Amino acid sequence: MGATHHVGYAYTVNGHHLKTPTKQSGGTCYAHACASAIRATESRIVGRNPQSHESLVREITNKYGCDGGHVSIVLNNQCPKRQLKYDKV
């Protein structure tokens, strides 16, 4: 089993500013937040090719809906399959 990496929120990754937030519709802010955190974390791991933001949001909203969701439930599902670890702080 590979090393685990913590998902975290950041304004920059490796000294580069994160992209401007994408347009959200309905209650999808939780999915966009999760996708941003996952992609930011994966982009810091050498050799990882993060899934596109739009594709990841679509995957999350297909499973959890567009009327709001729980970040902890999504990350507890998404992180292990990416060898990431989510901790609530």
Side-chain angles (χ1 to χ4, degrees):
M1 184 168 168
T4 59
H5 299 274
H6 291 274
V7 172
Y9 296 92
Y11 295 106
T12 60
V13 175
N14 295 332
H16 301 285
H17 292 285
L18 296 176
K19 291 183 177 181
T20 304
T22 59
K23 184 175 181 179
Q24 301 174 21
S25 61
T28 61
C29 58
Y30 79 98
H32 285 272
C34 290
S36 294
I38 290 168
R39 286 178 42 78
T41 302
E42 286 192 315
S43 71
R44 295 190 308 257
I45 302 171
V46 175
R48 290 279 177 108
N49 185 16
Q51 186 175 351
S52 76
H53 183 85
E54 295 78 15
S55 172
L56 189 50
V57 168
R58 189 170 39 256
E59 179 181 326
I60 292 167
T61 56
N62 283 344
K63 183 166 185 173
Y64 299 101
C66 295
D67 294 321
H70 297 280
V71 170
S72 60
I73 292 171
V74 173
L75 293 178
N76 281 328
N77 174 266
Q78 293 290 320
C79 289
K81 61 186 175 183
R82 292 176 164 79
Q83 294 183 327
L84 303 175
K85 183 179 178 186
Y86 160 72
D87 288 318
K88 189 174 182 178
V89 291

